[in-house]
Amino acid sequence: MKTYHCFWLLFWAGQPHQSFLTPLSKRTSGFPEKEKVLVLSGNSRQDLHRSKRSWMWNQFFLLEEYTGTDYQYVGKLHSDQDKGDGSLKYILSGDGAGDLFIINENTGDIQATKRLDREEKPVYILRAQAINRRTGRPVEPESEFIIKIHDINDNEPMFTKDVYNASIPEMSDVGTFVVQVTATDADDPTYGNSAKVVYSILQGQPYFSVESETGIIKTALLNMDRENREQYQVVIQAKDMGGQMGGLSGTTTVNITLTDVNDNPPRFPQSTYQFRAPESMPLDSPVGRIKANDADVDENAEIEYSITEGDGYDMFGITTDKDTQEGIITVKKALDFESKNLYILKVEATNTHVDPRFLYLGPFKDSATVRIQVEDVDEPPMFSRPAYIMEVKEDVPLNSVIGTVTAQDPDAAKNPVKYSVDRHTDMDRVFNINSGNGSIFTSKPLDRETLLWHNITVIAAEINNPKQSSRVPVFIKVLDVNDNAPEFAMFYETFVCENAKAEQLIQTLSAVDKDDSYNGHQFSFSLAPEAASSSNFTLQDNRDNTAGIFTRKTRYNRHETSTYFLPVVISDNDYPIQSSTETVTIRVCACDHRGKMLSCNAEALIHPTGLSTGALIAILLCIIILLVTVVLFAALRRQRKKEPLIISKEDIRDNIVSYNDEGGGEEDTQAFDIGTLRNPEAIDDNKLRRDIVPETLFLPRRTAAARDNTDVRDFINQRLKENDTDPTAPPYDSLATYAYEGNGSVAESLSSLESVTTDGDQDYDYLSDWGPRFKKLADMYGSMDSDKDS
């Protein structure tokens, strides 16, 4: 039921006037209406003097959300100048005038044409005026009044968010703050309880609660476990009118997530794990993976694995895969099936981030047993050492054993082992090895001064399975023996002045030795016996590996002797003693009084052995004549060799001259006269060769005539034998070709490709007799025989 409040707004004029109320028209709503009259008063038109007037009331009140079918009545304007004869006209202006609010210009009744909403506009300010209809002039000044909209409860509470999201740690205490929700009501909070909101929980009990006045949500249940339930959906209601019946309400949803805390220890799903690992597994290779389950997430589920005890504590290691939180067991040391084939480990899994609040739940770790079975594989032979170092003297005889390497098959089968030298590390084949016992011996002479260290590689392979092989480096040091004589450190060529005095030092000598000396070299110097007594110089050994050359006489004459050659014997003190004779060249020179050399050449006019210019010219002419003679002789000899080889077609002998033409094959009988070969008697043995001129003329040799029906092969063999013993026979500048192919020749193939079937059937000892050019081949193939023999 709507109640209409009527207010009288009176306007008092300064002069006496008549005031009255205009009766209201009948309302269609069926409710009694009180009069709402705004009375206007003022002077007559003749009296221009305005009197003082004042407003007692200046506002109307109107309920919002009118639901009637007619216009809503607001109030009435009335002027004391209105005589009721229709001469006045009422005008309304301001907020909504003419659209939202209309006025009856005759009666002054104000009506609202539309439903009003206080939440859209709570107050309207309008201005009213009465004018003379005939003249259009105002009879009263313009008056301002207010229409205020009264509120009704037509808006439900609205939450600031449609959905709230919140999170709290699991296992939180009761009363822990979760989130605060807020709802607002658009109704007038100053008028009644339309905007008074009360909160309540519709869904989410008994886990959560909400404060009715503040909207704060709190936990209501102790020890909520995320692992049991992680997500909660809570529905909160906000109701106006203080929560009384008939109030409007709104709801919102709050999604609450329980965050994880470390309240669960890791647990292995099984107590024992078994893995297999081949003994050939490389170091740091993974053997297997184990995982302890942890119901927590993120950093609370991080696990650290460790091996706490077991007989494989030092053989295996374990690391944590940060992505999967698995423990990866790896090999730390080489496995050996023959030594140990089973390892038992105890592995422990521990949380890395422990929350002290939950230590009462128990230790945050767990352990499991891991059994690792080592599998046997076919392994290559193993040497007794990772490397071998051997020493040998450089003068050791050939085939002398310098050391032995040892390798064994580590498998239970103990297969026999065969040794060999990797020839890529011993290209010169200086060493060889006994394939059965691994003894290394020399196959060539050694020289420490050429190469001090020999680094070779020895291969040990199983005889039954050569693919199973291993290698070991062998370092061979060549020890020195005193096999090199000392020699001068440099070539000595010095001079002596013609005016030198006796016992004057002219040169100091020093020596070097290629051999090594552990205690240092000690050299002794002396003149050769043939020069010790007749020499013009003396030698003094300084006993410090140096010696000095001194003059024996006072003066020297370069015209008599310009150069002296002084032989010096140098010896060492090692065993066996080595010595060498070196020569010092001493030139006689002219010097000034300070001993500074001026000239060492004798004058040509005084030299007794000089040649005259005429003699030199004669020698030069003889050389030129000799060269011309040789050139002419060579030209004549070349011209003789260019004579035609065959003069006549009847001149057919044992040799065939090839002009590099290609014939027509076996059926081409026009290429040459085959009848000569078929008729041996037709050949005249007394004919001389006409293709060349023999240097020595020999008497023709009579050969025995061939028998009748002699095969061509016998004829060719006979001619071959005669030409081999005939010094006048080819080769010259022609090619002797015996190209006959008989039918089913008993000579078989002349090729050497099928003469030897295998390398083992060939004997290469004859290569040593061919001279130094074939020495390398003899060494290569000879050493191959030695390898096979060993």
Side-chain angles (χ1 to χ4, degrees):
M1 176 179 178
K2 294 184 179 180
T3 304
Y4 293 88
H5 301 275
C6 300
F7 293 88
W8 291 87
L9 186 61
L10 301 178
F11 176 77
W12 296 91
Q15 293 181 353
H17 59 276
Q18 181 181 4
S19 64
F20 55 88
L21 296 177
T22 303
L24 301 177
S25 61
K26 185 178 179 179
R27 302 296 299 167
T28 60
S29 61
F31 295 96
E33 292 285 343
K34 292 185 178 180
E35 292 180 337
K36 303 177 186 179
V37 180
L38 179 62
V39 180
L40 304 176
S41 62
N43 295 329
S44 62
R45 296 181 182 177
Q46 291 80 12
D47 190 2
L48 299 177
H49 181 264
R50 299 294 299 265
S51 61
K52 183 179 179 182
R53 48 192 174 173
S54 62
W55 292 99
M56 293 185 62
W57 302 99
N58 64 344
Q59 62 182 355
F60 292 113
F61 291 93
L62 188 65
L63 286 177
E64 65 172 339
E65 303 295 342
Y66 171 70
T67 59
T69 57
D70 296 334
Y71 290 161
Q72 186 179 5
Y73 183 75
V74 178
K76 183 181 180 65
L77 295 178
H78 184 73
S79 174
D80 56 356
Q81 299 294 327
D82 190 356
K83 304 299 184 180
D85 55 359
S87 61
L88 294 183
K89 178 181 179 182
Y90 293 96
I91 299 175
L92 187 66
S93 63
D95 294 340
D99 179 21
L100 186 60
F101 300 101
I102 60 175
I103 189 171
N104 189 322
E105 60 182 16
N106 295 322
T107 63
D109 293 329
I110 303 174
Q111 292 178 314
T113 62
K114 298 179 180 178
R115 294 175 60 180
L116 302 179
D117 188 357
R118 189 202 67 85
E119 286 71 35
E120 293 182 1
K121 190 174 181 65
V123 175
Y124 294 87
I125 301 174
L126 294 96
R127 290 177 298 279
Q129 194 174 28
I131 63 173
N132 189 297
R133 188 183 296 273
R134 186 174 60 85
T135 63
R137 296 181 62 185
V139 298
E140 290 289 344
E142 189 177 54
S143 299
E144 184 177 90
F145 65 96
I146 297 175
I147 299 177
K148 189 173 183 180
I149 310 300
H150 266 188
D151 183 45
I152 64 173
N153 189 19
D154 61 341
N155 291 280
E156 71 275 6
M158 299 290 294
F159 284 93
T160 56
K161 296 181 180 179
D162 294 334
V163 178
Y164 288 82
N165 294 304
S167 62
I168 57 168
E170 63 174 332
M171 310 298 288
S172 297
D173 296 333
V174 175
T176 301
F177 173 84
V178 179
V179 70
Q180 182 177 11
V181 295
T182 303
T184 59
D185 196 319
D187 294 328
D188 189 359
T190 63
Y191 182 75
N193 294 327
S194 299
K196 186 178 181 180
V197 179
V198 175
Y199 300 94
S200 61
I201 185 168
L202 300 181
Q203 177 183 321
Q205 294 175 332
Y207 307 105
F208 300 95
S209 63
V210 63
E211 292 184 356
S212 60
E213 295 182 358
T214 61
I216 295 176
I217 302 175
K218 298 180 180 180
T219 58
L221 189 64
L222 184 65
N223 294 335
M224 287 189 292
D225 192 0
R226 184 200 66 84
E227 287 71 36
N228 293 331
R229 183 177 178 182
E230 184 177 3
Q231 298 287 340
Y232 294 86
Q233 191 175 71
V234 179
V235 178
I236 302 297
Q237 182 189 66
K239 190 174 184 181
D240 58 12
M241 299 298 291
Q244 297 178 5
M245 186 171 296
L248 302 178
S249 65
T251 60
T252 188
T253 301
V254 182
N255 295 322
I256 302 175
T257 303
L258 296 183
T259 58
D260 186 55
V261 297
N262 192 6
D263 59 338
N264 293 280
R267 290 289 181 263
F268 283 105
Q270 58 192 69
S271 59
T272 304
Y273 295 84
Q274 292 190 2
F275 299 103
R276 293 181 176 273
E279 61 176 335
S280 60
M281 179 173 286
L283 299 183
D284 297 327
S285 298
V287 177
R289 290 172 174 252
I290 61 175
K291 183 178 182 180
N293 298 324
D294 194 326
D296 298 320
V297 294
D298 299 332
E299 68 174 13
N300 296 319
E302 292 182 0
I303 300 174
E304 187 71 27
Y305 295 90
S306 60
I307 299 176
T308 57
E309 57 183 73
D311 53 2
Y313 180 80
D314 58 341
M315 298 293 296
F316 299 92
I318 188 168
T319 57
T320 302
D321 188 334
K322 298 300 182 182
D323 296 330
T324 62
Q325 295 300 316
E326 292 177 313
I328 306 174
I329 301 175
T330 57
V331 179
K332 289 173 58 179
K333 294 184 178 180
L335 303 177
D336 187 7
F337 173 83
E338 289 72 25
S339 300
K340 189 176 181 62
N341 56 15
L342 178 63
Y343 294 91
I344 300 177
L345 310 174
K346 184 178 181 181
V347 178
E348 186 175 84
T350 307
N351 276 139
T352 56
H353 300 87
V354 179
D355 194 335
R357 296 178 299 169
F358 305 104
L359 290 177
Y360 67 91
L361 297 176
F364 282 77
K365 60 183 178 180
D366 194 17
S367 61
T369 301
V370 178
R371 298 168 60 89
I372 301 176
Q373 184 73 41
V374 180
E375 297 179 340
D376 187 24
V377 296
D378 189 6
E379 297 177 281
M382 292 183 60
F383 285 93
S384 59
R385 301 178 191 174
Y388 291 85
I389 300 178
M390 301 178 183
E391 294 181 347
V392 59
K393 291 186 177 182
E394 60 178 328
D395 63 344
V396 67
L398 294 181
N399 300 322
S400 298
V401 177
I402 62 175
T404 302
V405 297
T406 304
Q408 292 183 350
D409 183 11
D411 299 323
K414 301 297 180 184
N415 294 319
V417 177
K418 178 180 65 175
Y419 302 93
S420 62
V421 176
D422 185 356
R423 290 306 175 190
H424 292 90
T425 61
D426 185 24
M427 299 294 291
D428 294 331
R429 298 180 178 267
V430 180
F431 301 96
N432 215 330
I433 190 170
N434 189 300
S435 61
N437 58 21
S439 60
I440 300 175
F441 55 91
T442 59
S443 58
K444 286 185 179 181
L446 303 176
D447 187 5
R448 188 200 69 88
E449 288 72 34
T450 303
L451 187 59
L452 177 61
W453 284 93
H454 294 267
N455 302 328
I456 65 174
T457 299
V458 174
I459 303 173
E462 294 182 8
I463 295 179
N464 299 333
N465 186 10
K467 293 183 178 180
Q468 292 294 338
S469 62
S470 57
R471 297 166 175 262
V472 67
V474 179
F475 306 104
I476 303 174
K477 183 179 181 181
V478 181
L479 301 179
D480 186 44
V481 296
N482 192 27
D483 58 345
N484 290 280
E487 56 188 15
F488 281 151
M490 57 181 291
F491 174 73
Y492 288 103
E493 183 178 4
T494 186
F495 70 94
V496 61
C497 295
E498 287 182 311
N499 56 356
K501 298 180 179 180
E503 303 298 328
Q504 181 179 340
L505 177 65
I506 62 173
Q507 182 66 47
T508 300
L509 308 176
S510 62
V512 294
D513 195 333
K514 294 181 181 179
D515 294 324
D516 191 11
S517 177
Y518 298 101
N519 299 323
H521 293 290
Q522 293 183 3
F523 302 128
S524 60
F525 299 85
S526 62
L527 292 177
E530 64 272 14
S533 58
S534 61
S535 175
N536 293 308
F537 304 91
T538 60
L539 180 68
Q540 179 180 342
D541 192 346
N542 298 327
R543 304 298 181 184
D544 59 354
N545 293 337
T546 63
I549 299 177
F550 295 86
T551 58
R552 174 175 288 182
K553 61 182 182 178
T554 301
R555 295 186 62 83
Y556 296 86
N557 190 341
R558 56 177 170 159
H559 301 295
E560 295 179 358
T561 304
S562 61
T563 304
Y564 293 92
F565 299 98
L566 187 65
V568 178
V569 178
I570 312 172
S571 303
D572 56 22
N573 63 342
D574 292 333
Y575 180 81
I577 296 176
Q578 299 288 341
S579 63
S580 65
T581 301
E582 301 288 333
T583 301
V584 180
T585 302
I586 304 174
R587 300 174 63 190
V588 180
C589 301
C591 302
D592 57 12
H593 65 280
R594 291 191 302 268
K596 184 177 181 180
M597 181 180 63
L598 297 178
S599 175
C600 295
N601 296 324
E603 286 76 11
L605 295 177
I606 306 175
H607 202 284
T609 59
L611 295 176
S612 63
T613 304
L616 293 175
I617 294 175
I619 293 174
L620 182 59
L621 290 175
C622 292
I623 295 174
I624 293 174
I625 293 172
L626 180 61
L627 291 175
V628 172
T629 303
V630 171
V631 170
L632 292 175
F633 178 78
L636 292 174
R637 185 175 181 84
R638 179 176 298 178
Q639 185 176 3
R640 291 177 182 178
K641 290 184 179 181
K642 291 183 179 180
E643 293 181 4
L645 294 176
I646 298 178
I647 304 301
S648 174
K649 289 186 178 180
E650 289 81 18
D651 189 8
I652 298 173
R653 293 187 299 276
D654 295 345
N655 60 315
I656 298 174
V657 179
S658 174
Y659 294 96
N660 293 328
D661 333 306
E662 183 174 355
E666 295 179 354
E667 298 180 359
D668 185 5
T669 59
Q670 303 301 322
F672 56 89
D673 189 2
I674 194 66
T676 304
L677 294 177
R678 293 299 181 184
N679 186 13
E681 288 81 359
I683 298 178
D684 187 3
D685 291 334
N686 297 327
K687 290 184 178 181
L688 298 178
R689 293 176 59 89
R690 303 178 67 179
D691 54 345
I692 62 170
V693 178
E695 296 180 359
T696 306
L697 182 62
F698 292 90
L699 295 176
R701 300 175 58 186
R702 173 66 61 179
T703 58
R707 301 186 307 272
D708 295 337
N709 299 326
T710 301
D711 188 75
V712 176
R713 177 175 57 83
D714 296 334
F715 166 75
I716 293 176
N717 290 336
Q718 181 180 355
R719 287 293 183 263
L720 176 63
K721 183 176 180 180
E722 293 173 358
N723 280 272
D724 288 339
T725 58
D726 188 2
T728 63
Y732 293 102
D733 291 334
S734 60
L735 177 64
T737 305
Y738 303 92
Y740 166 73
E741 183 177 351
N743 295 325
S745 174
V746 296
E748 298 180 350
S749 175
L750 298 179
S751 173
S752 62
L753 296 178
E754 298 178 354
S755 60
V756 179
T757 58
T758 63
D759 292 341
D761 299 334
Q762 183 66 276
D763 185 7
Y764 298 102
D765 292 340
Y766 62 88
L767 294 175
S768 302
D769 302 332
W770 286 10
R773 294 187 178 181
F774 296 90
K775 184 176 183 300
K776 187 66 177 179
L777 287 175
D779 292 341
M780 290 176 61
Y781 286 93
S783 58
M784 290 176 59
D785 295 339
S786 63
D787 288 345
K788 294 179 181 179
D789 295 340
S790 60

